[in-house]
Amino acid sequence: MVAHNSIEIGQVISVTGSKVIGIMATGNASRQSDKVLRAAQVGSVVAITTPRALIFGIIGGVHTENPSFPTRGDERRIVEVDLMGEAHKKTSSGQLIFQRGVSAYPSLGAAILTMTSRALAQIYAQPGVPCVKVGTLRQDSSLPATLKVNELIGQHFAILGNSGTGKSCTVTVLLRAILKDFPNGHVVLLDPHDEYAKAFGDQAEVISAGKLKFPYWLLTFEEAAEAICSKEPAKREAEIPILKSAILAAKEIHMSAMDEQVPLTVDTPIPYRLSNLTDQIKSEMGRLSRPEESQPYNRIISRLIGLQADSRYEFMFSSLLVQDSMSEILSQILRIPVNDKPVTILPLAGLPSEIVDVVVSLLCRLIFDYALWNGSGPQAPILLVCEEAHRYAPRDHKLGFAPTRRSISRIAKEGRKYGISLGLVTQRPSEISEAILSQCNTLFVMRLSNEQDQQFVTHVLPESAVGLLQALPALRTQEAIIVGEGVNLPMLVCFDSIVDTSRPRSDTQSVSEAWRLDEAGLDEVDKIVKRWRKQER
């Protein structure tokens, strides 16, 4: 099964579970010894022959048992191999058929062999399944790195890595590769830093703050309370029942004029007028016997007046948004129909920071509920890509906005049943909910230098790939370890480059170049101040 030009780098001396220990075939300095040392690199794929099959593994570590300086010829060099799977030879064509897991372990003394390019190509090949190329194998740059589309998208994925490792470029490469072959996708991309507007060109519908329309009546009561009620717990507790009663009454007024009646709760997404909401609060306030009891009522009314007067909140609290536009909003966000724009980008940086969590919660909930209530209708699988995911689904339940975390968690746990997929992107995997991240069955792990992040990733990686973690701090920009259902076996990948015109706006500014120049003048400051005041990015 292995070509004659494979190199025997060692022999098996220990087999424990999914790990094999071998002694390397190096003696006195020689050309053969140099070849062995070059071949036995962390991340390299090796083969071990057994009577029944060819077992594959990935080198997770190498070390010397009795090191000396200068190097002696009798040093014992040890190689650690994490077993991944096995292959059987297909008799008709000679093609290797790879399968995960090992049915028979290697015996002591079995040869550990390098893999030829042809054998590697067969192992990493994805015959008969839809796949896309995203880069090349780090072990052999002549071989493409491909991902299985159905498993990648259908079973969620996560991209993890330090800031500056190329996460945004990875998202761009991945989605552009998929949409090139499958142009009628439905991708919703949360963009907290306004990075992706130029990454997808004409394929994207960018719903900036000026174009965004998320009417207040689409909010659940919990979301509305977050936007309207006081943050101080004591004041909030007094305002909650007042607002709840008023919203329900305002919805009843609107529904009384509707032709079709629906079961009504405070969370039913039907329009109502802000003027009716304010009138209901004032009416209840008029029944009070003591003036001091009116304070929570006045706070809610003042907040509603402030929200309507603030142009930053016009996308949600404008009095003009009372028209029932729910179908149009869903159609625009979910790209149904696609109309040659399969990606929706929602830049969040232009929104008021205190309302961003509410917007993300609303969006995630709308996506899930749309798919849930689709019933037996035609499916339009939707991919939600969440940048800076640790902000919206934090590990610490005391942080973040609980409805946002619940909405993302619901998609992670139940979304695949209804055709909703999740892509999480974060630079702090240790700060994201482990329950949510564990639902991502394909992981792209880029350079991680923080020890806490490395330890966290160890828990979510399959046991057979843990040895590769030793390579994480040494990965270069746009390199990653990919593990999970989207690939046949874990692989080290160098992602394809992106032309400058399609590169996300995430590159770190060159201080050394900028500080050599003095280009900005007072007129530039004036322009910035005007954009600042108008809230126009």
Side-chain angles (χ1 to χ4, degrees):
M1 287 188 183
V2 180
H4 67 278
N5 54 349
S6 294
I7 300 173
E8 181 176 346
I9 65 171
Q11 291 184 344
V12 175
I13 61 172
S14 173
V15 180
T16 307
S18 62
K19 185 179 288 293
V20 166
I21 307 295
I23 183 169
M24 292 173 59
T26 57
N28 295 323
S30 64
R31 184 176 300 178
Q32 180 67 15
S33 178
D34 290 341
K35 288 183 179 180
V36 170
L37 292 174
R38 286 197 300 269
Q41 298 292 318
V42 172
S44 296
V45 180
V46 294
I48 305 172
T49 56
T50 70
R52 295 176 54 180
L54 187 65
I55 296 177
F56 296 105
I58 294 180
I59 297 178
V62 293
H63 67 274
T64 301
E65 279 193 341
N66 52 342
S68 63
F69 184 84
T71 302
R72 299 193 311 267
D74 61 346
E75 289 183 345
R76 284 166 51 92
R77 293 187 172 95
I78 303 299
V79 58
E80 300 175 5
V81 179
D82 298 309
L83 300 182
M84 299 295 171
E86 61 187 18
H88 300 267
K89 191 171 183 180
K90 193 173 181 180
T91 55
S92 58
S93 62
Q95 177 76 26
L96 291 176
I97 305 302
F98 179 83
Q99 64 183 33
R100 293 186 181 182
V102 177
S103 60
Y105 286 93
S107 59
L108 297 180
I112 303 174
L113 307 168
T114 60
M115 298 293 296
T116 63
S117 293
R118 180 181 177 184
L120 279 173
Q122 291 184 20
I123 294 172
Y124 284 109
Q126 319 278 8
V129 297
C131 61
V132 293
K133 175 184 176 295
V134 295
T136 58
L137 298 182
R138 188 183 182 191
Q139 183 176 354
D140 189 337
S141 60
S142 67
L143 298 179
T146 58
L147 303 174
K148 293 181 281 190
V149 175
N150 288 332
E151 288 77 3
L152 174 72
I153 303 298
Q155 300 184 40
H156 309 321
F157 66 87
I159 299 174
L160 317 173
N162 287 350
S163 179
T165 56
K167 295 189 303 298
S168 301
C169 288
T170 298
V171 172
T172 303
V173 168
L174 181 61
L175 294 182
R176 285 175 67 92
I178 293 172
L179 295 175
K180 179 181 178 181
D181 291 345
F182 307 96
N184 291 317
H186 305 271
V187 180
V188 181
L189 176 55
L190 298 181
D191 185 4
H193 303 301
D194 293 3
E195 297 177 89
Y196 291 98
K198 70 174 186 177
F200 299 97
D202 294 337
Q203 285 188 297
E205 175 78 11
V206 182
I207 308 179
S208 56
K211 297 167 61 178
L212 183 64
K213 301 297 179 187
F214 269 170
Y216 55 89
W217 50 263
L218 281 175
L219 300 173
T220 62
F221 174 70
E222 196 171 7
E223 293 163 350
E226 178 69 16
I228 297 171
C229 293
S230 302
K231 304 302 181 185
E232 185 180 328
K235 293 180 179 179
R236 187 184 187 88
E237 187 176 353
E239 294 166 7
I240 287 288
I242 299 170
L243 181 63
K244 188 173 186 177
S245 176
I247 289 177
L248 187 57
K251 287 186 176 183
E252 288 173 344
I253 293 172
H254 184 88
M255 195 175 71
S256 65
M258 293 172 57
D259 296 331
E260 183 180 2
Q261 300 297 298
V262 297
L264 186 62
T265 71
V266 72
D267 291 332
T268 304
I270 63 170
Y272 61 91
R273 294 186 180 278
L274 288 174
S275 57
N276 288 339
L277 178 63
T278 304
D279 289 344
Q280 289 297 318
I281 296 172
K282 290 179 178 179
S283 176
E284 289 297 319
M285 186 170 58
R287 298 189 178 96
L288 300 175
S289 58
R290 293 181 297 177
E292 60 268 21
E293 294 177 344
S294 65
Q295 290 183 4
Y297 295 84
N298 284 324
R299 286 197 299 267
I300 296 175
I301 292 172
S302 297
R303 175 63 171 165
L304 287 171
I305 293 172
L307 289 171
Q308 292 179 78
D310 193 334
S311 61
R312 298 177 303 156
Y313 291 89
E314 188 175 359
F315 73 96
M316 182 171 284
F317 286 99
S318 170
S319 58
L320 302 177
L321 296 175
V322 72
Q323 182 181 358
D324 188 355
S325 55
M326 189 170 178
S327 297
E328 290 79 3
I329 291 171
L330 287 169
S331 175
Q332 181 188 31
I333 293 173
L334 303 181
R335 307 310 309 148
I336 303 174
V338 175
N339 289 332
D340 298 324
K341 291 189 175 184
V343 183
T344 298
I345 299 175
L346 279 92
L348 302 176
L351 302 180
S353 58
E354 58 268 27
I355 202 74
V356 168
D357 281 342
V358 173
V359 171
V360 175
S361 174
L362 171 60
L363 177 69
C364 295
R365 182 175 51 79
L366 285 178
I367 292 174
F368 184 88
D369 286 347
Y370 173 82
L372 175 66
W373 294 107
N374 183 38
S376 59
Q379 287 287 337
I382 300 161
L383 170 62
L384 171 65
V385 180
C386 187
E387 269 273 11
E388 297 287 347
H390 58 278
R391 292 172 50 178
Y392 311 115
R395 191 178 190 183
D396 187 347
H397 283 217
K398 297 178 183 179
L399 302 176
F401 184 41
T404 307
R405 184 172 54 250
R406 284 201 303 270
S407 296
I408 295 177
S409 177
R410 199 176 181 193
I411 292 175
K413 295 176 181 178
E414 306 175 44
R416 68 191 70 179
K417 302 176 188 175
Y418 307 106
I420 312 173
S421 301
L422 186 63
L424 303 177
V425 186
T426 178
Q427 59 183 307
R428 291 309 308 269
S430 61
E431 295 180 7
I432 197 171
S433 167
E434 189 170 0
I436 293 175
L437 186 58
S438 65
Q439 298 292 325
C440 297
N441 287 325
T442 303
L443 297 180
F444 299 74
V445 188
M446 310 186 82
R447 186 171 66 249
L448 286 171
S449 55
N450 183 280
E451 185 177 353
Q452 188 176 7
D453 290 332
Q454 292 177 20
Q455 291 175 351
F456 181 79
V457 170
T458 302
H459 297 304
V460 297
L461 279 179
E463 182 182 353
S464 58
V466 170
L468 286 175
L469 284 179
Q470 299 179 46
L472 286 182
L475 291 177
R476 296 172 294 184
T477 301
Q478 285 189 245
E479 290 185 346
I481 299 168
I482 307 179
V483 299
E485 297 300 321
V487 293
N488 273 348
L489 74 160
M491 58 183 175
L492 282 167
V493 171
C494 180
F495 290 103
D496 288 336
S497 298
I498 308 173
V499 296
D500 289 341
T501 54
S502 299
R503 186 178 294 275
R505 188 179 60 85
S506 59
D507 292 337
T508 303
Q509 186 174 3
S510 173
V511 176
S512 60
E513 292 182 9
W515 282 10
R516 286 195 180 101
L517 306 172
D518 187 19
E519 295 181 332
L522 180 60
D523 57 339
E524 184 64 28
V525 178
D526 285 338
K527 293 178 184 177
I528 294 172
V529 170
K530 289 178 181 178
R531 289 199 299 269
W532 188 347
R533 287 172 174 166
K534 293 181 179 180
Q535 298 292 300
E536 294 177 353
R537 293 179 66 87

